[in-house]
Amino acid sequence: MGFGVQRPSILVAVSMIFSWMLLGNSTVNFVHGKMGECDIYEGSWVVDESYPKLYNSSSCPYIRKEFNCQKYGRPDQLYLKYRWQPKDCDLPRFMSPTQMPVHLQLLPNQKATRSQKGFNGEDFLRRFEGKKIMYVGDSVSLNHWQSMVCLLHAAVPDPSRILQETNSTISTFIFQDYDLSVILFHSQYLVDIENEQIGGVLKLDSLKNGETWKNIDVLIFNTWLWWYRRGPKQPWDYIQEGDSIVKDMDRMLAFRKGLMTWAKWVELEVDVRKTQVFFQGISPSHYKGQEWGEPEVTNCSMETQPISGSTYPAGLPPASYVLEEVLSSITKPINLLNITNLSQLRKDAHPGIHNGFGNMDCTHWCLPGLLDTWNQLLYTSLIT
């Protein structure tokens, strides 16, 4: 059986109720996106014909065929014109210098104001000169990472000065003129899977890759997509916690246990004076039209517009509450890249059949597209 929704256990349900209560308490330790008094994750999608296309499939050579919707025949482009508008403020736009409005461009020897810095893709490169930024997670993290690479590729004066390095687990783009590395670390669960005599074992209390992660300057974590995978696509045979080995368990409970292991690693190993830690919120899929009031719809193939308003009719997925509960347990400052609700509204932003495989994909996202906004929100959180 493939990826699906499973009803959480009573234990997880109690845990979720506790997390809802906790989220109402202002003493939680993780950081929501704030610009002054503005929550940048509360808002709606608006059409903006002036909104610049920061790159396209022909100008960014790194887009994988899974995400390259325009190359593989998507006929509409309205989905590229929607801009995220927070309720109480405006986001800085992520532009290359040539895309900036004339009144915001810098004169020779002129210092950038705060607002001008917010508009300039090259400013991102300069701010993070000599730094390492790493996306850690599954194929949604790959999707997210490729967006950032394309955004920065559009901003560099000389793209030939971008170096690419890849091995089985880590892929890196080095922007040599800025000594900036943008890295993808592939990890489906964050916790370990080890091959033993009995088969592949998902170890909920083991996290060995942390030695690679902990010295990075900016970390963006993500996991969720694989926790409900079953059958041939499930990459493990058993689940282990301590000395207990089981064939399976409630997947939401397993997800929570894995996240708690990651949280303990953050507490013990990460020096937040040197490393900024983000956790990407749950990325939604759109296969069930009943969630947005169209019960006859079974995929995203015909969707060309977002859901209007600021809330998703079906509400947040249960995994979001588990994630926020775990983040709330961490005493160190952790940033939640809270993209779930704003992405739920974008049923129009998936590849559908417009990808290099021709299969129906309502899980990943077109590039360019929504994930450029995710990185705009990441950028805003980093500079404010």
Side-chain angles (χ1 to χ4, degrees):
M1 186 166 64
F3 180 77
V5 177
Q6 184 185 64
R7 186 172 297 172
S9 67
I10 293 174
L11 177 59
V12 175
V14 171
S15 172
M16 288 162 55
I17 292 170
F18 172 76
S19 72
W20 293 329
M21 295 170 62
L22 185 61
L23 292 175
N25 187 330
S26 61
T27 62
V28 295
N29 300 302
F30 68 89
V31 181
H32 284 281
K34 293 285 187 180
M35 289 179 61
E37 295 302 313
C38 173
D39 187 335
I40 60 176
Y41 300 110
E42 290 186 3
S44 59
W45 291 97
V46 298
V47 175
D48 185 348
E49 291 294 339
S50 70
Y51 200 56
K53 182 188 285 188
L54 302 174
Y55 60 91
N56 56 45
S57 58
S58 60
S59 66
C60 184
Y62 310 119
I63 304 175
R64 286 171 61 114
K65 60 185 179 181
E66 295 96 317
F67 318 133
N68 202 334
C69 303
Q70 293 292 317
K71 180 177 180 179
Y72 290 99
R74 180 160 180 168
D76 62 307
Q77 295 199 21
L78 181 60
Y79 72 98
L80 297 171
K81 290 296 182 181
Y82 282 96
R83 172 174 56 81
W84 179 247
Q85 178 60 59
K87 180 180 177 183
D88 297 316
C89 59
D90 294 321
L91 292 177
R93 293 188 183 183
F94 199 133
M95 292 185 179
S96 67
T98 58
Q99 293 170 318
M100 292 174 67
V102 173
H103 71 281
L104 286 175
Q105 293 181 11
L106 299 182
L107 299 173
N109 301 318
Q110 178 185 3
K111 291 184 178 181
T113 67
R114 184 170 180 176
S115 63
Q116 286 169 319
K117 288 180 179 180
F119 276 75
N120 191 344
E122 186 178 1
D123 175 66
F124 186 100
L125 292 160
R126 295 194 183 282
R127 281 177 185 269
F128 295 96
E129 186 170 357
K131 303 297 186 182
K132 291 181 171 63
I133 299 172
M134 179 181 280
Y135 294 77
V136 184
D138 52 35
S139 56
V140 175
S141 291
L142 164 63
N143 206 175
H144 194 186
W145 169 76
Q146 286 212 315
S147 163
M148 177 61 85
V149 169
C150 287
L151 288 167
L152 297 180
H153 172 268
V156 295
D158 182 3
S160 69
R161 297 281 297 156
I162 301 173
L163 178 66
Q164 183 175 4
E165 298 176 348
T166 302
N167 62 33
S168 59
T169 303
I170 302 175
S171 296
T172 304
F173 281 91
I174 303 170
F175 295 82
Q176 295 180 85
D177 291 335
Y178 303 89
D179 191 26
L180 169 64
S181 296
V182 181
I183 308 163
L184 173 72
F185 190 104
H186 180 67
S187 177
Q188 294 163 322
Y189 297 90
L190 301 184
V191 292
D192 300 330
I193 298 177
E194 296 187 2
N195 292 317
E196 301 187 353
Q197 285 187 340
I198 58 173
V201 181
L202 175 62
K203 301 202 168 189
L204 297 179
D205 54 2
S206 176
L207 194 155
K208 295 178 180 177
N209 290 319
E211 287 300 309
T212 303
W213 305 339
K214 68 181 183 180
N215 294 317
I216 300 296
D217 300 291
V218 180
L219 290 166
I220 307 101
F221 290 97
N222 155 61
T223 184
W224 169 242
L225 185 60
W226 284 81
W227 286 90
Y228 275 88
R229 291 285 173 93
R230 302 176 187 274
K233 292 186 176 181
Q234 177 183 297
W236 48 265
D237 303 294
Y238 294 89
I239 298 176
Q240 181 173 359
E241 183 183 25
D243 294 329
S244 174
I245 299 177
V246 296
K247 189 67 177 175
D248 208 343
M249 67 186 301
D250 180 287
R251 296 301 181 86
M252 193 69 77
L253 181 59
F255 173 62
R256 183 184 183 280
K257 288 177 179 290
L259 285 179
M260 287 301 298
T261 296
W262 170 85
K264 291 174 184 176
W265 169 80
V266 171
E267 292 279 31
L268 292 173
E269 299 291 341
V270 177
D271 184 350
V272 293
R273 296 169 298 179
K274 300 177 181 178
T275 300
Q276 287 185 266
V277 180
F278 290 81
F279 207 107
Q280 174 215 296
I282 304 300
S283 179
S285 58
H286 290 94
Y287 292 99
K288 297 181 178 182
Q290 64 190 31
E291 293 185 355
W292 60 86
E294 298 182 63
E296 73 284 359
V297 173
T298 58
N299 58 54
C300 60
S301 64
M302 303 300 291
E303 304 301 325
T304 59
Q305 296 182 24
I307 294 166
S308 62
S310 59
T311 57
Y312 192 59
L316 293 172
S320 288
Y321 296 104
V322 174
L323 172 61
E324 293 199 9
E325 177 208 346
V326 171
L327 294 182
S328 297
S329 73
I330 301 173
T331 61
K332 293 180 177 179
I334 303 298
N335 301 274
L336 174 62
L337 193 63
N338 196 12
I339 51 77
T340 302
N341 180 67
L342 66 89
S343 303
Q344 286 180 309
L345 301 175
R346 293 304 305 272
K347 57 185 174 64
D348 61 315
H350 299 285
I353 61 170
H354 300 296
N355 59 76
F357 298 107
N359 60 320
M360 182 61 64
D361 186 353
C362 302
T363 298
H364 300 96
W365 307 93
C366 292
L367 294 179
L370 170 67
L371 297 199
D372 304 324
T373 297
W374 289 13
N375 278 315
Q376 185 185 26
L377 292 162
L378 171 65
Y379 179 45
T380 301
S381 298
L382 286 167
I383 68 173
T384 55

